[in-house]
């Protein structure tokens, strides 16, 4: 279909047809043979929005697997780095615990030397220090002083001077410490292990922490991990050549801490953000082929869904263009006037292949796919064409179903005014039939629009009352003229003895609110009698007449409009009726 309006076989253009053409409505004038094809600006605001949403859907379908894999790989890479940190920290802790175990074992061997003169045991100390790996010095203490060692040439050194930090007031029996520097010793950093029993005699050992520093430097060089060890309340032992690369602000590093269960040793390790980024990149590139396949599948699924949706939209547009839609009219019987006082216009769709599409199916699809407003406008044009040949008395009620979407559209009032102007010669009492959902959506604005139309002579009815979720307060908040009782409540009238409390409540409520009542789905004389006795002013249903196309309605109107309903009619209709009433459109 061309995006520009085109007119084919134009014999002449009346003022009315030109107005229709200017408005862009689809119209076929059988006399002038004018076919007006809508341009994109006429029915396309919703269509354009639907196309835009379709493009966004396809884009989201393609991007969603990518975002999903990005999130998954981010979490997975963080866990991978966390596991690497944990294994590295455990390795460093095992090494520190191994050194600590050897240190305490060595101090045990020094117990026989405690209390002896330093000149007598100095050679033994040097020999033992050389035998044990990691150790740079060992010695004996008394109280808080070192009186003999394998490293220091002079005796009687305070322990606090050696470790270059104050000692606690009361020394524990056995304690260890990590320090950055030892006095008069080219050993840094160092691990100190001291035994100070209650008798004052003790022993100490100095372990060169370079073994641990070498491990830290290797971890830092290979992986960029920052490994630190602290023993007791001492100084932090860290790599000798620490390099901290630049880290993006949006990506934080990962930390891990572990504490020894046997000794006062704490190992801390940190992976920089760059390491996290490398792991993330590796995991994402590994899953990238699968991600592309998923994106392609999602896009194909979105395209398939969009194609099905657009195909139905195209079918609706094609049905409008090819005049596959028609209007059926169901007469409304006035119980007081005892004759036909109006009719409800119901849209029907018969495809070119002869297949009928149920109203509840195509109306629901039109609402879901933003086609309900063009479809309702097409209904108004079809009604205008049909009533041109009618010969009826003034004040004939003409009911039109209006959707919630159309009611909220900015052109709604203009559409109704244009329709009223085009059929003004027949002096109809136009009644807009709204569902309860129409009232709930955008309540104040809807009430204002309805009130404006009522001031111009348009009537308003609430359709299928009691089947939706409308609060009773809406009946007072909105300007209404009619209340239509759903056929489900009418069917509860089965005999004079049985009660119908819900139906009675609805009727009583309508009377108290001064609303005229229309009962739908009336099929028996008993139902008619019950409704008449309860002052229901209007009825619709197979008891009186079924929906008819325009040609049959015109004939029926001529011969049966003044026919009165009597109990005999129930038996007369019983043999001819088959099945239930054709479902009517809820929105168009």
């Amino acid at each position: 279909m061309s995006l520009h309006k085109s007119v084919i076989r134009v014999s002449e253009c009346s003022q009315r047809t030109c107005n229709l053409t200017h408005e862009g409505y689809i119209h076929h004038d059988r006399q002038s043979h004018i076919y007006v094809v809508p341009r994109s600006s006429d029915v396309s605001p919703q269509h354009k929005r639907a196309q835009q949403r379709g493009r966004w859907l396809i884009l989201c379908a393609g991007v969603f697997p990518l975002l999903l894999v990005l999130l998954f790989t981010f979490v997975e890479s963080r866990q991978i780095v966390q596991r690497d940190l944990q294994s590295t920290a455990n390795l460093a802790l095992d090494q520190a615990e191994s050194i600590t175990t050897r240190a305490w074992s060595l101090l045990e061997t020094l117990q026989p030397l405690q209390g002896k003169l330093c000149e007598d045991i100095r050679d033994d100390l040097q020999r033992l220090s050389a035998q044990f790996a990691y150790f740079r010095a060992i010695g004996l203490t008394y109280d808080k002083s070192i009186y003999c060692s394998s490293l220091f040439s002079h005796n009687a050194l305070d322990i606090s001077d050696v470790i270059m930090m104050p000692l606690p007031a009361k020394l524990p029996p056995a304690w260890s410490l990590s320090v950055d520097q030892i006095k008069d010793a080219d050993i840094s950093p160092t691990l100190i292990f001291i035994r100070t029993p209650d008798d004052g005699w003790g022993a100490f050992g100095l372990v060169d922490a370079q073994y641990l520093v070498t491990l830290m430097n290797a971890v830092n060089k290979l992986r960029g991990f920052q490994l630190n060890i602290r023993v007791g309340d001492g100084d932090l032992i860290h790599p000798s050549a620490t390099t901290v690369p630049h880290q993006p602000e949006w990506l934080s590093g990962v930390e891990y801490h572990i504490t020894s269960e046997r000794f006062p040793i704490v190992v801390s390790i940190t992976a920089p953000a760059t390491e996290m980024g490398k792991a993330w990149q590796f995991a994402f590139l590994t899953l990238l082929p699968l991600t592309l396949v998923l994106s392609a599948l999602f896009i194909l699924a979105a395209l398939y869904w969009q194609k099905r949706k657009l195909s139905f939209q195209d079918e609706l547009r094609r049905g409008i263009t090819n005049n596959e839609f028609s209007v059926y009219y169901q007469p409304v019987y006035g119980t007081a006037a005892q004759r036909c006082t109006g009719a409800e216009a119901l849209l029907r769709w018969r495809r070119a292949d002869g297949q009928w599409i149920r109203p509840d199916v195509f109306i629901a699809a039109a609402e879901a796919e933003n086609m309900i407003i063009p479809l309702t406008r097409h209904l108004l044009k079809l009604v205008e064409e049909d009533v041109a040949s009618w010969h009826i008395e003034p004040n004939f009620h003409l009911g039109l179903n209006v959707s919630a979407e159309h009611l909220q559209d900015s052109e709604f009032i203009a559409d109704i005014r244009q329709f009223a102007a085009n059929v003004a010669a027949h002096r109809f009492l136009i009644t807009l039939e709204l569902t309860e959902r129409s009232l709930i959506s955008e309540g104040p604005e809807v009430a204002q629009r309805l009130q404006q139309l009522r001031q111009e002579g348009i009537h308003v009815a609430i359709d299928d009352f009691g089947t939706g979720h409308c609060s009773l307060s809406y009946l007072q908040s909105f300007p209404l003229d009619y209340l239509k009782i759903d056929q489900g409540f009418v069917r509860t009238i089965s005999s004079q003895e049985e009660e119908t409390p819900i139906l009675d409540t609805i009727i009583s409520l309508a009377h108290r609110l001064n609303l005229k009542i229309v009962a739908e789905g009336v099929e028996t004389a008993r139902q008619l009698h019950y409704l008449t006795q309860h002052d229901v002013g209007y009825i619709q249903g197979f008891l009186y007449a079924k929906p008819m196309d325009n040609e049959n309605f015109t004939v029926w109107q001529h011969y049966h409009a003044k026919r009165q309903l009597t109990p005999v009619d129930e038996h007369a209709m019983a043999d001819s009726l088959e099945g239930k009433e054709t479902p009517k459109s809820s929105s168009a």
Side-chain angles (χ1 to χ4, degrees):
M1 182 173 62
S2 174
L3 294 180
H4 298 283
K5 181 167 39 181
S6 59
V7 181
I8 307 173
R9 291 185 59 198
V10 179
S11 59
E12 61 179 328
C13 179
S14 65
Q15 182 64 37
R16 176 173 178 270
T17 304
C18 290
N19 288 337
L20 290 175
T21 304
H22 176 70
E23 293 165 6
Y25 295 116
I26 300 173
H27 178 63
H28 172 207
D29 191 326
R30 298 182 179 87
Q31 295 179 353
S32 58
H33 301 288
I34 295 178
Y35 296 83
V36 181
V37 181
R39 59 187 179 186
S40 60
S41 60
D42 297 325
V43 295
S44 64
Q46 294 82 14
H47 180 50
K48 287 181 178 179
R49 287 194 293 268
Q51 287 182 328
Q52 186 176 10
R53 283 195 296 270
R55 288 191 291 268
W56 275 107
L57 175 65
I58 295 173
L59 177 62
C60 292
V63 172
F64 177 73
L66 179 64
L67 296 178
L68 190 63
V69 171
L70 282 173
L71 178 62
F72 171 77
T73 53
F74 175 79
V75 175
E76 180 63 21
S77 61
R78 195 175 185 88
Q79 292 179 350
I80 292 175
V81 173
Q82 188 80 16
R83 290 192 292 267
D84 289 345
L85 291 179
Q86 184 176 355
S87 61
T88 305
N90 286 332
L91 176 63
L93 182 62
D94 289 342
Q95 185 72 6
E97 287 181 339
S98 176
I99 294 175
T100 303
T101 301
R102 292 191 178 190
W104 291 123
S105 176
L106 175 60
L107 295 186
E108 288 289 341
T109 63
L110 295 180
Q111 287 185 359
L113 304 179
Q114 295 175 1
K116 296 182 178 181
L117 294 176
C118 187
E119 292 80 2
D120 298 335
I121 62 174
R122 186 180 298 276
D123 294 338
D124 294 330
L125 292 178
Q126 291 178 351
R127 178 177 52 81
L128 290 173
S129 177
Q131 289 179 354
F132 284 83
Y134 310 126
F135 283 90
R136 298 296 299 273
I138 58 175
L140 301 175
T141 64
Y142 180 75
D143 195 15
K144 295 184 180 181
S145 300
I146 299 175
Y147 77 89
C148 188
S149 71
S150 63
L151 177 65
F152 304 107
S153 58
H154 49 279
N155 300 326
L157 292 173
D158 288 340
I159 297 177
S160 60
D161 292 338
V162 175
I163 65 177
M164 302 179 68
M165 64 176 58
L167 298 178
K170 181 174 177 57
L171 295 177
W175 51 286
S176 57
L177 206 63
S178 55
V179 294
D180 283 336
Q181 189 174 3
I182 296 296
K183 181 180 180 180
D184 297 336
D186 188 18
I187 306 174
S188 73
T190 304
L191 302 181
I192 300 177
F193 301 89
I194 301 178
R195 285 187 176 275
T196 54
D198 293 337
D199 59 3
W201 299 100
F204 78 93
L206 301 181
V207 176
D208 190 352
Q210 186 60 41
Y211 300 100
L212 297 176
V213 173
T214 301
L215 174 62
M216 296 177 186
N217 290 336
V219 170
N220 179 259
K221 184 177 180 180
L222 291 175
R223 301 296 305 274
F225 293 166
Q226 305 299 310
L227 182 62
N228 303 303
I229 299 177
R230 187 190 301 273
V231 179
D233 296 328
D235 299 325
L236 190 67
I237 301 176
H238 51 76
S240 58
T242 302
T243 56
V244 180
H246 175 71
Q247 300 184 8
E249 296 181 357
W250 57 273
L251 194 61
S252 60
V254 182
E255 297 181 358
Y256 180 75
H257 305 274
I258 184 172
T259 302
S260 172
E261 297 179 356
R262 300 164 53 197
F263 307 110
I265 304 174
V266 177
V267 177
S268 302
I269 187 169
T270 302
T274 52
E275 189 67 21
M276 176 70 184
K278 292 177 182 178
W280 189 4
Q281 181 181 15
F282 177 78
F284 177 73
L285 292 178
T286 302
L287 294 178
L288 183 58
L290 178 60
T291 304
L292 297 178
V293 172
L294 287 177
S295 296
L297 292 177
F298 275 56
I299 291 175
L300 290 176
L303 286 172
Y304 176 73
W305 181 84
Q306 188 70 11
K307 181 180 179 181
R308 289 193 59 186
K309 180 177 179 180
L310 291 177
S311 65
F312 203 93
Q313 290 178 344
D314 293 338
E315 287 187 19
L316 286 170
R317 293 190 181 93
R318 192 181 303 112
I320 294 174
T321 305
N322 297 336
N323 291 316
E324 296 177 2
F325 289 93
S326 60
V327 182
Y328 275 50
Y329 300 89
Q330 184 169 24
V332 177
Y333 179 77
T335 57
Q338 295 187 335
R339 57 173 296 172
C340 177
T341 58
E344 180 181 1
L346 306 172
L347 192 62
R348 295 291 182 262
W349 185 10
R350 187 179 185 182
R351 288 177 172 171
D353 59 3
Q355 179 185 6
W356 287 93
I357 308 299
R358 284 169 36 201
D360 58 332
V361 172
F362 72 78
I363 292 299
E367 288 179 338
E369 300 175 10
N370 300 312
M371 280 294 295
I372 191 62
I373 296 178
L375 195 60
T376 305
R377 288 172 177 162
H378 185 53
L379 166 68
L380 298 179
K381 296 308 167 185
L382 293 177
V383 172
E384 290 177 13
E385 294 178 0
D386 289 342
V387 302
S389 60
W390 288 9
H391 299 283
I392 55 174
E393 298 178 359
N395 297 325
F396 185 83
H397 291 78
L398 182 59
L400 303 169
N401 289 277
V402 178
S403 68
E405 290 77 7
H406 196 189
L407 189 58
Q408 298 167 28
D409 187 77
S410 59
E411 300 297 324
F412 171 72
I413 293 181
D415 291 340
I416 300 303
R417 284 175 175 169
Q418 183 65 48
F419 173 79
N422 292 339
V423 298
H426 296 280
R427 298 168 62 183
F428 287 118
L429 291 180
I430 300 173
T431 302
L432 304 180
E433 300 187 6
L434 315 174
T435 61
E436 297 179 27
R437 182 171 68 89
S438 303
L439 302 183
I440 295 175
S441 303
E442 305 293 336
E445 184 177 353
V446 168
Q448 182 179 2
R449 291 181 177 180
L450 295 180
Q451 184 61 40
Q452 185 175 354
L453 290 175
R454 288 182 78 238
Q455 293 174 354
E456 299 175 12
I458 306 296
H459 291 186
V460 179
I462 179 171
D463 197 9
D464 298 332
F465 180 76
T467 60
H469 305 282
C470 181
S471 172
L472 294 178
S473 62
Y474 282 85
L475 296 181
Q476 290 183 314
S477 303
F478 287 89
L480 302 174
D481 300 286
Y482 295 89
L483 186 150
K484 300 192 72 173
I485 302 175
D486 183 72
Q487 59 185 352
F489 298 110
V490 174
R491 288 172 182 164
T492 60
I493 306 173
S494 57
S495 66
Q496 296 293 341
E497 292 77 16
E498 293 189 16
E499 297 182 353
T500 55
I502 298 179
L503 177 61
D504 295 343
T505 301
I506 294 175
I507 294 174
S508 177
L509 179 63
H511 287 323
R512 293 177 65 86
L513 294 175
N514 294 321
L515 299 178
K516 300 180 182 67
I517 306 175
V518 182
E520 299 179 295
V522 180
E523 298 180 352
T524 67
R526 181 179 294 111
Q527 293 172 349
L528 173 64
H529 176 74
Y530 183 92
L531 296 170
T532 304
Q533 292 297 315
H534 287 75
D535 296 327
V536 174
Y538 303 91
I539 70 155
Q540 279 181 264
F542 277 19
L543 178 63
Y544 187 53
K546 63 181 180 180
M548 296 166 276
D549 59 23
N550 180 56
E551 183 177 353
N552 288 321
F553 177 76
T554 302
V555 175
W556 182 94
Q557 177 73 12
H558 179 75
Y559 291 102
H560 301 284
K562 297 182 180 180
R563 179 174 63 91
Q564 298 181 8
L565 287 180
T566 64
V568 178
D569 292 328
E570 179 185 9
H571 304 289
M573 295 288 292
D575 296 333
S576 61
L577 291 179
E578 294 182 3
K580 298 296 183 181
E581 180 181 355
T582 303
K584 71 174 186 177
S585 160
S586 62
S587 300

